[in-house]
Amino acid sequence: MPATISVRPDGVGVITLDSPPVNSLGTELVTSFKQEFPKLVQDPKVKAIVVTGKGAMFCGGAEITEFAVMVAMGPEKMKDMIDASPKTTVAALNGPALGGGGEVSLACHYRVAAPNSSVGFPEVNLGLLPGGQGTQRLPRVAPLPTAMQMILQGKPLKSDAAKKNGIVDLVASGDLLAEAAEFALSHPPAPISKREVPKTNRFMVAAGALESGLNTAVKAAPLMVAPRSIIKCFEAACSKKSFREGLQVEMEEFTKLVFSVESAALRHLFLAERMAQKVPGVDEKPAPLKKIGILGAGLMGGGIAMCFVQKGIPVVLKDAQQDWLDSGMKKIESLWAGQLKKGRLSKDKYQQYMGLLKPTLDYADFKDVDMVIEAVPEIMDLKKQVFLDIEKNTKPDALICTNTSGLNIDDIAAVLKDPSRVMGTHFFSPANVMQLLENVRTSKSSIRTLSTGMAMGKLISKKCIMVGNCDGFVGNRMLAPYAGEAKMLLEEGASVEQVDAAAVKFGMAMGPMALGDLVGQEIFWKQRKAANDMKKQTKTYYGPYELTDWLCEQGRFGLKTPDPKIKANGRGIFIHRGRDKMVDPEVVAKLDEVRKMKGMVPRQVTDEEIVERLFYPLINEGFKILEEGYVARSSDIDLAYIYGYGFPPSKGGPMFFAENYTGFKKILEKLKVFDAQAKERYTKNSQYLPVHYFEPSKLLEACAAKEGTKVFPGQTLIDVVLKEFRKSGSAGAGPFSKL
């Protein structure tokens, strides 16, 4: 049974939430609880009641797939039952009480907490609010600033902080159940629903605390809708409304949020993270990772090394020259020293981290590592040579991984005696900060290698997806048409400021031109120079190139290239001074020169057109990647863009956005228009390069044909159609095409 009861010798009844792994409040557990709890209330031998959880969690909250069921069921009966108990009821918090779990604890008359427990309300991260009476109960026991921080920002409180803020009544020092039982026997019933909101909380509302809290929340996440609803609930709690009237406001706001597309997007991402770990066919036990080798002590290699050390795993960090190695170590040390200075890292932890990091110039120090990740420059011959050097100096079963962002990993792996040891581990820079990890399976990667790579991503707390070995993998391949169209829009008449502003207004963390300055304008310029073909286009980069090539020829790569003459800490499209930036006037003049050279008469470009031309070909490329079988499911693409490219979480990722915001038919129609325009431009003016990213994906066309078809909760229409696509044999040659 999900809820079990027992009676202690002292007459205290215990009801235990038992629904592994986190005791979530699914229908089965709630139904069971409502059957079992009255038995303790009605049993004359039971003097008081303790509610606790089994295992390491008190309760992880409502089951995410059942929020709509909560609305359909109406008012919260489980919490009312606990609240109305004539016998003193105490929550014994054996671990985290989150969301609905926190609300169950507040439905109890008192709370006794284990030292390692916590109370939190993370619903705002799913575009929701605590819909099980939490917005009305918390302000009755906690100071309003604390309640706002917990619910508006989703920040949990550890047991000692919860005690100081009136949420927990006692932090146990010994046996939790024994102390909770003793507390229950010595205190009368005191339901929170009968308590008045503290006068200080009412005074703070009158003084404008809620407006201030809302402004802070909206500034941090302007596209989120939940904060406004949460404020309405707090207003109801701290007004003259009764507890029941406040609950009515809470249910109205909760219902509105549950059926909002923004909340659906965030719940989609929550479930997508769970799904991403389940890679079809990758079911072998991963190899243990007790020691890691990193080749290359630059910004990327150093960041990757930090990820492992911060999880307590020893790292051997190798580079080819002492000055390069010293520079890398100095950078790592300075980052941790900065955390130490700010109080974010203890001195003991700092010393532990430094002790786990071994710098070396000798490949022989890789002799006992379980995995090597190379992060050397993107030069194919260099990658192949270091792979051979790694092979000579590692155990036969050690994984050899490459951090390449676009080179063909099968070609790199082919130099080894055993290419099954190889996979791609595409980290994003700075690796110690960015959450995304694209794990890349080659044609020869063993299942053991792949399962170990996925386990590695989880070990270092990355949002990890598995992709196939195609040009640019998932993220960079989709970014290429986005970046290409940004440059094309400039030539047609849009300003740099307008293009970036339109992308930011859409919700991106930054615009495409600012992104180019951040990552470096020279990356693809160097690749085209190395190929001796300055007009070369691949699926990872497209023209027009004239403006950015001119920048690179001037040595203006963006943030990485300061210009002391104009007191700039970086110069590219923008002149960067500190955190401020302005479009370089010379860029504006050069852009005008490029337009004249190509015979392009500038025209007015609307923000709507900018958004469509930036994102529709990006989405189309995502459909092509799915169609070709280089990623298992559409939600993996969404994760990549949320955590690697700054796509707005409230829009759920590019594939969710296509299905739930825009619609497949509209995207398809617009792509056809843009494709015709691009072909006409190329036909009439040979100075423009041909592009094919507007040509609609067959999978997109199939989805458009079935638009409006109902799917089960947790499914997407894209994946339903994709499954049919793969069964019919219409998919490409990627590793996921036969699923």
Side-chain angles (χ1 to χ4, degrees):
M1 289 288 286
T4 60
I5 58 174
S6 61
V7 180
R8 291 166 49 90
D10 56 12
V12 173
V14 179
I15 183 164
T16 303
L17 308 177
D18 183 6
S19 181
V22 297
N23 301 325
S24 59
L25 298 173
T27 303
E28 188 180 5
L29 185 141
V30 171
T31 301
S32 172
F33 189 97
K34 289 192 289 188
Q35 291 171 349
E36 299 300 311
F37 188 82
K39 296 176 183 177
L40 296 177
V41 173
Q42 295 158 14
D43 188 340
K45 298 190 294 297
V46 173
K47 302 172 186 176
I49 301 171
V50 168
V51 181
T52 192
K54 186 175 181 179
M57 292 279 291
F58 174 75
C59 176
E63 178 54 52
I64 190 170
T65 58
E66 295 187 4
F67 284 126
V69 175
M70 290 172 60
V71 173
M73 290 174 65
E76 179 58 70
K77 298 289 194 299
M78 178 179 173
K79 278 90 170 184
D80 286 344
M81 181 185 291
I82 300 170
D83 181 90
S85 169
K87 299 175 180 179
T88 299
T89 304
V90 173
L93 305 183
N94 56 303
L98 303 176
E103 291 172 309
V104 168
S105 77
L106 291 174
C108 296
H109 305 157
Y110 304 98
R111 283 142 298 285
V112 175
N116 65 340
S117 65
S118 59
V119 181
F121 299 95
E123 287 90 345
V124 69
N125 298 318
L126 296 177
L128 297 170
L129 54 78
Q133 307 185 352
T135 65
Q136 303 305 297
R137 291 184 180 276
L138 191 61
R140 284 172 161 78
V141 294
L144 187 61
T146 300
M148 289 170 64
Q149 185 182 60
M150 293 180 74
I151 294 181
L152 267 179
Q153 299 177 35
K155 293 184 178 179
L157 288 185
K158 292 182 178 179
S159 56
D160 54 348
K163 169 73 168 63
K164 289 177 185 176
N165 283 278
I167 300 166
V168 163
D169 299 285
L170 174 70
V171 177
S173 57
D175 186 311
L176 175 65
L177 275 182
E179 292 187 42
E182 182 181 349
F183 194 98
L185 290 170
S186 59
H187 289 76
I192 289 175
S193 66
K194 306 299 181 188
R195 302 183 199 180
E196 292 291 326
V197 173
K199 291 181 180 179
T200 52
N201 284 356
R202 295 185 191 276
F203 176 79
M204 292 185 77
V205 170
L210 293 179
E211 289 83 355
S212 176
L214 177 60
N215 290 337
T216 300
V218 169
K219 187 176 180 181
L223 299 180
M224 299 291 282
V225 294
R228 292 176 175 81
S229 290
I230 291 168
I231 292 298
K232 287 183 181 179
C233 293
F234 278 147
E235 285 174 344
C238 297
S239 69
K240 294 182 180 180
K241 292 181 185 292
S242 68
F243 180 74
R244 289 292 152 195
E245 289 171 332
L247 290 183
Q248 187 174 350
V249 173
E250 180 187 86
M251 182 50 68
E252 288 171 358
E253 294 301 320
F254 180 75
T255 301
K256 183 168 68 178
L257 293 176
V258 163
F259 294 107
S260 70
V261 67
E262 293 87 356
S263 177
L266 294 167
R267 282 177 275 149
H268 163 75
L269 293 172
F270 180 86
L271 295 172
E273 288 186 37
R274 292 182 180 181
M275 288 294 293
Q277 283 295 316
K278 301 173 182 176
V279 182
V282 178
D283 50 10
E284 282 190 23
K285 185 179 179 181
L289 296 174
K290 298 178 181 178
K291 192 174 185 180
I292 302 295
I294 306 292
L295 181 60
L299 179 64
M300 180 61 78
I304 297 170
M306 291 176 72
C307 293
F308 287 99
V309 168
Q310 287 166 182
K311 294 298 181 179
I313 300 168
V315 170
V316 178
L317 181 62
K318 184 195 177 304
D319 216 321
Q321 294 182 192
Q322 189 66 51
D323 56 336
W324 296 348
L325 189 61
D326 291 344
S327 176
M329 287 295 295
K330 186 177 179 181
K331 177 66 175 176
I332 294 170
E333 188 175 1
S334 69
L335 288 169
W336 283 330
Q339 292 179 27
L340 175 64
K341 188 176 181 180
K342 293 175 182 176
R344 297 174 184 169
L345 193 67
S346 69
K347 188 174 181 180
D348 287 347
K349 211 62 167 170
Y350 170 80
Q351 291 173 341
Q352 178 194 341
Y353 286 174
M354 293 306 299
L356 288 170
L357 192 57
K358 178 182 178 178
T360 186
L361 296 174
D362 191 350
Y363 274 109
D365 288 323
F366 284 163
K367 63 182 181 298
D368 58 347
V369 302
D370 301 302
M371 172 188 280
V372 177
I373 300 173
E374 68 78 12
V376 302
E378 293 282 82
I379 303 167
M380 178 61 82
D381 289 344
L382 176 61
K383 298 274 191 188
K384 289 180 177 180
Q385 182 57 55
V386 300
F387 260 50
L388 288 169
D389 293 334
I390 293 168
E391 182 182 49
K392 292 173 187 174
N393 292 277
T394 53
K395 301 180 295 185
D397 61 347
L399 270 67
I400 304 177
C401 304
T402 174
N403 181 60
T404 182
S405 60
L407 295 178
N408 189 316
I409 303 173
D410 276 298
D411 289 350
I412 303 172
V415 302
L416 300 184
K417 296 173 186 174
D418 180 12
S420 73
R421 306 165 63 182
V422 176
M423 66 179 292
T425 49
H426 180 209
F427 288 82
F428 287 69
S429 187
N432 54 304
V433 175
M434 295 296 286
Q435 296 185 69
L436 180 64
L437 171 61
E438 276 184 319
N439 275 336
V440 187
R441 65 188 303 167
T442 72
S443 61
K444 300 290 178 63
S445 299
S446 71
I447 300 302
R448 175 183 177 273
T449 295
L450 298 175
S451 62
T452 304
M454 294 303 291
M456 176 272 288
K458 187 175 182 180
L459 175 67
I460 58 175
S461 303
K462 296 298 182 186
K463 310 297 184 183
C464 188
I465 64 169
M466 180 72 75
V467 302
N469 182 30
C470 64
D471 201 4
F473 312 137
V474 167
N476 285 347
R477 176 173 164 181
M478 290 173 64
L479 192 67
Y482 173 87
E485 277 305 289
K487 292 180 290 185
M488 193 63 240
L489 284 159
L490 294 183
E491 294 195 8
E492 289 185 30
S495 68
V496 170
E497 295 93 338
Q498 184 190 7
V499 170
D500 272 14
V504 170
K505 185 178 179 182
F506 176 84
M508 297 296 284
M510 65 179 67
M513 311 318 295
L515 180 63
D517 268 13
L518 176 65
V519 301
Q521 300 287 354
E522 83 288 0
I523 294 174
F524 300 123
W525 174 72
K526 284 184 176 179
Q527 288 188 22
R528 287 180 289 118
K529 280 180 77 73
N532 198 30
D533 182 0
M534 297 309 290
K535 291 187 176 182
K536 183 178 180 180
Q537 295 190 121
T538 72
K539 287 183 179 178
T540 56
Y541 52 85
Y542 294 99
Y545 297 128
E546 286 82 1
L547 178 63
T548 49
D549 281 2
W550 171 80
L551 280 174
C552 293
E553 287 156 8
Q554 308 298 312
R556 301 176 189 176
F557 301 155
L559 273 167
K560 64 179 72 172
T561 50
D563 189 340
K565 292 179 183 177
I566 59 170
K567 298 179 180 179
N569 59 290
R571 192 172 187 183
I573 293 287
F574 299 91
I575 294 172
H576 301 267
R577 294 188 177 100
R579 294 189 177 183
D580 296 326
K581 67 180 187 296
M582 61 173 282
V583 178
D584 192 332
E586 292 186 18
V587 167
V588 177
K590 183 63 181 179
L591 180 58
D592 190 48
E593 181 185 318
V594 170
R595 288 169 178 156
K596 289 176 180 176
M597 178 187 73
K598 292 184 173 182
M600 177 66 75
V601 179
R603 64 177 178 86
Q604 289 291 321
V605 181
T606 66
D607 287 355
E608 181 182 13
E609 181 183 350
I610 291 171
V611 167
E612 290 173 347
R613 285 178 57 182
L614 290 179
F615 292 101
Y616 290 4
L618 179 151
I619 290 166
N620 189 43
E621 204 66 31
F623 274 101
K624 290 179 181 179
I625 293 168
L626 284 165
E627 177 185 321
E628 293 166 14
Y630 287 107
V631 70
R633 55 185 77 88
S634 61
S635 59
D636 289 350
I637 294 175
D638 289 334
L639 282 181
Y641 262 79
I642 295 294
Y643 292 110
Y645 295 87
F647 200 90
S650 61
K651 287 185 166 66
M655 309 314 287
F656 182 93
F657 175 78
E659 183 165 334
N660 295 277
Y661 276 85
T662 310
F664 306 125
K665 289 180 180 178
K666 180 180 178 181
I667 293 174
L668 181 60
E669 289 167 4
K670 286 289 186 178
L671 284 172
K672 290 177 179 178
V673 171
F674 297 146
D675 188 41
Q677 291 172 349
K679 284 181 168 63
E680 182 182 11
R681 181 172 60 234
Y682 169 65
T683 301
K684 290 183 176 180
N685 191 336
S686 61
Q687 294 183 87
Y688 284 104
L689 299 171
V691 296
H692 304 287
Y693 47 68
F694 287 127
E695 294 174 3
S697 155
K698 292 178 182 177
L699 177 61
L700 171 59
E701 291 175 335
C703 287
K706 293 200 172 185
E707 189 163 79
T709 304
K710 298 295 183 183
V711 295
F712 291 111
Q715 283 186 322
T716 68
L717 181 57
I718 295 174
D719 288 335
V720 170
V721 175
L722 177 62
K723 189 174 181 180
E724 296 172 359
F725 214 74
R726 288 171 173 167
K727 278 185 178 179
S728 70
S730 301
F736 299 103
S737 61
K738 305 302 180 187
L739 295 180

